[in-house]
Amino acid sequence: MNRKTVIATALLAALATTTTAFASSHREAPNVTRLPTIDSTDFYIFNSYESGRSDYVTIIANYIPLQDSYGGPNYFAMDPAAVYALHIDANGDAMEDFTFEFRFNNKLPNGGIKLPVGPNGVMVSVPLKHVGPISAGNNGALNYSETYSMSLVTGSQRTGARSAITGANGQTEFVKPYAYVGEKTFGNTAEYSAYADQYIYDVSIPNCNAMGRVFVGQRKDPFTVNLGETFDLVNYVPVEGDSTPGAGDGNGFPGGITQSTANDDLNDKNVNTIALEVPKSCITGSGNGVIGAWTTASLPQARILNPNATLEKPEVNGGALVQVSRLGSPLVNELVIGIDDKDRFSSAHPSADGQFATYVTNPTLPIILDLLFKDAVNATLGTSFDTIAPTHYPRTDLVAAFLTGFAGVNQQSIVTASEMLRLNTMIPATPAEQQSNFGVAGNDLAGFPNGRRPGDDVVDIALRVVMGALCHDIPVAGTPTNLGLCQPEDANVGTAPFTDGAPIDASFMNTSFPYLIAPLAGSPQ
């Protein structure tokens, strides 16, 4: 690795996790809160680290945020009118080269379960989606079927060539397993997993010589974030309260927060997961092996409600598809984009992201943190800082991270300013037990922001960098080096270990596809 690449790597480690990630994108824009079935919560793309799968890339898009496991009796179906999509830009022109589309359908199996009622045995439809125990190989008590089909679009999603993705036996319809309603219905978590694992499919992708894999179903929300207190004007001291994270020794910042899963407000929530594993060779195209990726959900432009709604026809949909939800790097829309532009960002294409540049060059989050904590910091440290926000503008460091990536690490062969996750497919995956939850910043080149794995702690990295870590010396080839983007005096608290106190690492996940662990049971609580 030459010095230019080493410096680029160090830049990425300290920088590229700023405005591109602060937490999970749950309910990130006003319009999408009205449409939770198409609200994307988190997006991941990484080189597969399951043993024997080094030639594959895994893409995960989670939808329907903040699911309470007990939220029945109509559990968390996807929208049958929507088109959910995973987009891949193979060369860096900010245009999708490959799009994997998912379309859902729901119905009552065999017309629905009816039970005889009364002395005359009148057959009456039951009010529930299931009427008895369900297990692997036995779903006769299930009164609701949710399925999906998949397509690959080559070129523009709107105008490109569209081909069906089929299963190993040629099927075009796949089953989404029923939600984990509880232990009386499914037994314990191992039994539910056996049921859900039936619906991990090998799939044949057009123009791809090797098979891929797909799973769509409910999972425990993999993200951890101190959500409620963060949005209550950051109702905690967002600096590590212990000298070593999680040590509990009290030798860190006075009054700072201590790492604990009790700080994770998503610890009791589920999500719906779309997980796809694709051979690398089938999505890298003619580029340099670095791909960009994002997920979207779109709805038909017109929706007319049926005044006599039925399960099969609650509405009539028509017109062109309109993108309503978009997610690449986490929480860009939630904490970077101004509230008046959030819905515009949700509907925008990456190729049009130049319109949002001011939010990156002049970010408001450091100013908010300054308003909230400057006086407390000065009082605690005995300092007289005029501001604790970085003072160098425009934030060209954030522009590089947010829009372009870095040469030799995650910059594509064509450099087009655009917001997406960028993954270098040529960098080998790190086994789960060796992963750093700080990704590249933790000397783990296979982690965030080189793509994003479920165990990468993007919140803590982001908070530290947005408050000016890059203005101070960072190790380059083992030597403390100032990268010249800004100076220590530009960031008074740039060395502080900012954190939300909600820990995460690879041990929170499984080590095989689809990586996310089984959902939480609705019963018993």
Side-chain angles (χ1 to χ4, degrees), residues 1-24:
M1 183 180 290
N2 61 34
R3 181 171 175 82
K4 180 179 179 182
T5 300
V6 169
I7 291 175
T9 301
L11 276 167
L12 191 59
L15 165 61
T17 51
T18 38
T19 58
T20 59
F22 299 103
S24 181

Side-chain angles (χ1 to χ4, degrees), residues 28 42 69 90 110 132 201 203 225 227 236 313 355 359 371 385 455 468 500:
E28 73 274 12
D42 279 288
S69 58
N110 302 312
Y201 296 96
V203 291
V225 62
L227 193 64
Y236 55 93
K313 197 172 183 179
Q355 64 187 302
Y359 294 117
L371 292 171
F385 297 141
D500 71 332

Side-chain angles (χ1 to χ4, degrees), residues 177-505:
Y178 193 42
Y180 190 7
V181 301
E183 293 184 1
K184 186 174 182 180
T185 298
F186 282 104
N188 59 28
T189 297
E191 291 174 290
Y192 179 82
S193 295
Y195 159 76
D197 286 352
Q198 299 176 109
Y199 306 113
I200 297 175
Y201 296 96
D202 293 324
V203 291
S204 178
I205 300 169
N207 304 314
C208 187
N209 292 329
M211 300 288 281
R213 288 191 291 185
V214 68
F215 171 81
V216 177
Q218 191 181 50
R219 300 281 93 178
K220 182 189 179 300
D221 194 328
F223 201 75
T224 64
V225 62
N226 201 341
L227 193 64
E229 292 191 346
T230 294
F231 288 107
D232 182 24
L233 300 177
V234 193
N235 191 16
Y236 55 93
V237 178
V239 181
E240 180 61 55
D242 298 301
S243 58
T244 301
D249 57 19
N251 293 325
F253 188 84
I257 194 167
T258 297
Q259 299 292 325
S260 172
T261 55
N263 296 324
D264 174 23
D265 289 328
L266 305 183
N267 196 40
D268 62 348
K269 304 300 181 185
N270 293 327
V271 291
N272 282 9
T273 290
I274 298 173
L276 180 67
E277 189 181 54
V278 185
K280 294 178 181 180
S281 60
C282 299
I283 54 175
T284 50
S286 58
N288 63 355
V290 180
I291 56 178
W294 67 100
T295 183
T296 63
S298 302
L299 289 169
Q301 193 168 27
R303 173 171 285 186
I304 302 173
L305 300 180
N306 183 356
N308 296 299
T310 64
L311 178 70
E312 294 80 12
K313 197 172 183 179
E315 68 216 11
V316 176
N317 293 283
L321 287 172
V322 175
Q323 180 180 303
V324 184
S325 177
R326 168 193 173 189
L327 180 59
S329 298
L331 216 70
V332 169
N333 203 358
E334 199 159 0
L335 284 180
V336 177
I337 305 300
I339 192 168
D340 50 337
D341 276 333
K342 288 182 180 294
D343 293 326
R344 185 188 303 276
F345 183 86
S346 292
S347 62
H349 192 275
S351 61
D353 282 345
Q355 64 187 302
F356 306 113
T358 298
Y359 294 117
V360 183
T361 59
N362 296 72
T364 57
L365 180 60
I367 306 305
I368 294 172
L369 292 176
D370 176 66
L371 292 171
L372 293 173
F373 292 107
K374 182 186 70 174
D375 291 344
V377 167
N378 281 331
T380 300
L381 299 181
T383 52
S384 56
F385 297 141
D386 292 333
T387 179
I388 62 172
T391 55
H392 59 293
Y393 295 101
R395 294 290 298 271
T396 52
D397 50 348
L398 305 189
V399 171
F402 185 67
L403 300 175
T404 64
F406 284 85
V409 183
N410 72 336
Q411 190 173 93
Q412 296 179 267
S413 55
I414 300 171
V415 181
T416 305
S418 54
E419 194 286 300
M420 61 181 77
L421 275 176
R422 292 174 171 87
L423 172 69
N424 189 334
T425 64
M426 307 300 288
I427 293 177
T430 302
E433 65 276 10
Q434 299 175 24
Q435 289 180 18
S436 168
N437 61 337
F438 279 81
V440 174
N443 198 31
D444 181 1
L445 287 178
F448 189 81
N450 180 26
R452 180 189 176 195
R453 302 167 302 197
D456 291 337
D457 195 344
V458 295
V459 176
D460 285 7
I461 305 168
L463 286 172
R464 297 174 190 195
V465 177
V466 78
M467 293 304 292
L470 196 62
C471 296
H472 296 260
D473 289 353
I474 64 170
V476 175
T479 302
T481 303
N482 187 285
L483 299 173
L485 299 171
C486 48
Q487 298 300 316
E489 58 267 25
D490 296 326
N492 290 323
V493 295
T495 59
F498 286 93
T499 180
D500 71 332
I504 188 172
D505 58 52

